[in-house]
Amino acid sequence: MGQPATKTATSPPEQNARPAGHGTLYIVIAIIAAIAVAWVLPNWAIHLELGGQIFLRLLQMVVVPLVMASVMSGILGLGDVRKLGKPGAYAVLYYMSTTVLAVATGLLVVNLINPGQGIDPAIVTGAQEEAAEHVDKATAEIEKAAEGQEVSLGLIFKKLVLMLFTDNLLGSMVEVNLLPLIVFSIIFAGMLTTMGERSHTIATLVISINDTLMAFIMLLMKVAPLGIFCLVASRFGKANAEDKLDDLAGVLAGYMGTVLAGLAIHALITLPLLLYIFTRRNPFRFMVQMGQAVLTAFSTASSTATLPITMECAEVQAGVSKRSTEFVLPLGATVNMDGTALYEAAAAIFIANAYAAIDPSFDLNFVDQMTIAITATLAAVGAAGIPEAGLITLLIVLNAVGLPLTLVGLILPVDWLLDRFRTAVNAFGDSVGAAIVDTSFTDKPTDK
């Protein structure tokens, strides 16, 4: 008896895709309504946090079992683990290429706009003082991870390699450390494909668990607009109550504009161009099909929490094959951080420009910028395995070029908002990757 296999597509992706429906529209309305409520009634909006946290926890609750079941199901669906070689190589090549392109875009935009030049030195000094507590906590995490060694590119690379493996599988599940879970799932399912009839029962169980979890995700999507309304309203309400929305103007406007411009170029030009070149899909239609996932990523500020919805949208709305979504998207949510890498490169140079206001002798040369590019790329890939990922990885980048870590205080007032945009770009990049890698499977459908 042959190996259990998941269903594969029998028609081109565009014909398989279902209409996006009203889900995306409802989420857009929920986000707009939430921002309006947070602006008019900020203190009331803050109390909606409970509803938002319940929705977020429901998503996070299924992440670990879904990742393991979906990756195993995807491998079992191949029938022969050796068929994973080409799609796996394509996925890794895609992740690295798009991350490098994102960093390059960030460096180009920030050098053209040069935010932070001419900033009032008093603002820089004040920001350093306010950031001291955050930096002390994050620095402790860096020192703990470095185990007393000097933080360097070599150490970062070593940590990235070690992140692939774990000495405690249950511990990785508890900490939602997905990368070693994915490695284990690939190896375990690969072994099942070589065991013949003996593996039939457990393989069927894995596929059934995966199908049940996806049905649960579809149920969650029915309440997604309400959960997203609560999440966005409470977060924006808190920012408005603390007068942090006022910080979006003035000195930080140039910095925010730079990061958003870079993210827009990557999400609206680079990724759609890659999608069209490799799949001949209509990029704009694909964006609409992935709309619910992208908006959920914006609302939750977590590509990992958004993973279940990204998988559902890619398969059901965009028509990406199950074998690709189940393998590519869990891996992408862990290591494919285009938006984060772009943001860190742009933020580091903005901070360097601001630092020059209090230390005119400081000069960020070409070598320093290349160091920022390499460090941002490596640190972004490793972000998922580090507590307070955004702050800590940015501190690693600043440390690499000798900038005072307390200068991170300059961007803290708006980091919560930019985090949502870069997470949305991360989620969209993952889905584009799944569509591109889908074309690399050798057993192509013959029905045209």
Side-chain angles (χ1 to χ4, degrees):
M1 187 173 181
Q3 293 304 311
T6 53
K7 295 178 182 178
T8 55
T10 57
S11 59
E14 292 293 348
Q15 294 179 9
N16 246 5
R18 302 181 192 175
H22 298 293
T24 303
L25 177 61
Y26 291 151
I27 292 177
V28 169
I29 293 173
I31 292 175
I32 294 174
I35 294 174
V37 168
W39 185 267
V40 178
L41 301 168
N43 293 321
W44 183 82
I46 292 174
H47 296 296
L48 295 173
E49 183 180 10
L50 177 61
Q53 287 300 315
I54 291 174
F55 174 66
L56 191 57
R57 290 190 179 202
L58 285 172
L59 286 176
Q60 293 172 328
M61 179 176 65
V62 297
V63 165
V64 169
L66 178 64
V67 165
M68 297 188 72
S70 64
V71 171
M72 289 185 190
S73 181
I75 302 299
L76 292 169
L78 295 174
D80 183 348
V81 72
R82 289 172 296 184
K83 293 180 181 178
L84 182 63
K86 186 177 179 181
Y90 271 47
V92 173
L93 179 62
Y94 169 83
Y95 296 148
M96 295 309 301
S97 299
T98 54
T99 302
V100 170
L101 287 172
V103 170
T105 301
L107 290 176
L108 177 63
V109 173
V110 77
N111 277 287
L112 286 175
I113 300 177
N114 271 323
Q117 285 194 338
I119 190 173
D120 185 348
I123 294 177
V124 180
T125 304
Q128 285 184 282
E129 294 173 355
E130 292 178 7
E133 181 181 346
H134 296 276
V135 172
D136 287 344
K137 183 178 178 181
T139 302
E141 293 291 346
I142 294 176
E143 291 173 350
K144 179 181 176 182
E147 298 174 349
Q149 304 175 57
E150 182 182 351
V151 177
S152 63
L153 293 179
L155 180 61
I156 295 172
F157 182 75
K158 176 184 175 182
K159 293 296 179 182
L160 288 178
V161 173
L162 290 176
M163 282 173 59
L164 295 170
F165 311 98
T166 179
D167 57 358
N168 187 336
L169 198 63
L170 292 178
S172 294
M173 293 179 187
V174 171
E175 296 171 4
V176 196
N177 190 4
L178 297 182
L179 204 50
L181 298 181
I182 292 171
V183 171
F184 170 80
S185 300
I186 292 172
I187 296 173
F188 185 79
M191 291 176 61
L192 291 179
T193 66
T194 67
M195 294 177 63
E197 180 66 24
R198 291 176 298 167
S199 68
H200 177 72
T201 301
I202 190 170
T204 303
L205 176 64
V206 167
I207 294 171
S208 298
I209 291 173
N210 183 60
D211 290 343
T212 304
L213 287 170
M214 289 305 296
F216 181 75
I217 298 308
M218 294 187 72
L219 181 63
L220 273 184
M221 290 188 70
K222 296 182 182 299
V223 298
L226 178 60
I228 286 172
F229 171 81
C230 293
L231 273 175
V232 175
S234 61
R235 189 61 189 88
F236 275 72
K238 182 179 179 182
N240 193 18
E242 295 174 353
D243 292 327
K244 287 188 177 179
L245 292 180
D246 293 338
D247 292 322
L248 306 187
V251 67
L252 290 176
Y255 163 67
M256 287 193 65
T258 300
V259 175
L260 293 178
L263 292 174
I265 291 171
H266 189 71
L268 302 179
I269 299 177
T270 304
L271 292 176
L273 189 59
L274 291 174
L275 179 69
Y276 178 76
I277 290 173
F278 289 101
T279 70
R280 294 301 185 215
R281 281 174 172 263
N282 183 326
F284 303 104
R285 182 182 303 171
F286 187 79
M287 287 180 187
V288 173
Q289 291 164 342
M290 294 305 304
Q292 287 174 287
V294 172
L295 290 171
T296 303
F298 175 86
S299 305
T300 62
S302 171
S303 53
T304 299
T306 307
L307 176 60
I309 293 181
T310 307
M311 293 179 67
E312 197 275 344
C313 286
E315 183 183 342
V316 177
Q317 310 289 3
V320 179
S321 76
K322 193 171 185 178
R323 58 191 171 184
S324 184
T325 60
E326 290 176 339
F327 170 66
V328 176
L329 289 177
L331 188 59
T334 308
V335 302
N336 187 38
M337 302 292 174
D338 296 353
T340 303
L342 186 153
Y343 148 81
E344 289 182 353
I349 294 182
F350 163 72
I351 288 172
N353 287 342
Y355 181 56
I358 58 175
D359 183 4
S361 65
F362 180 80
D363 178 41
L364 196 71
N365 55 39
F366 178 78
V367 174
D368 290 332
Q369 294 211 20
M370 290 303 97
T371 301
I372 287 175
I374 296 171
T375 309
T377 301
L378 294 177
V381 171
I386 305 174
E388 293 186 312
L391 175 61
I392 292 178
T393 54
L394 179 57
L395 291 178
I396 292 173
V397 175
L398 297 181
N399 182 77
V401 289
L403 284 166
L405 302 186
T406 49
L407 284 171
V408 76
L410 280 169
I411 64 172
L412 284 178
V414 295
D415 185 66
W416 65 273
L417 181 57
L418 291 179
D419 187 27
R420 283 162 159 68
F421 286 99
R422 62 183 184 253
T423 303
V425 172
N426 289 342
F428 182 62
D430 294 342
S431 63
V432 170
I436 291 175
V437 174
D438 195 21
T439 65
S440 69
F441 287 91
T442 54
D443 52 333
K444 287 296 176 190
T446 54
D447 256 345
K448 297 292 181 186

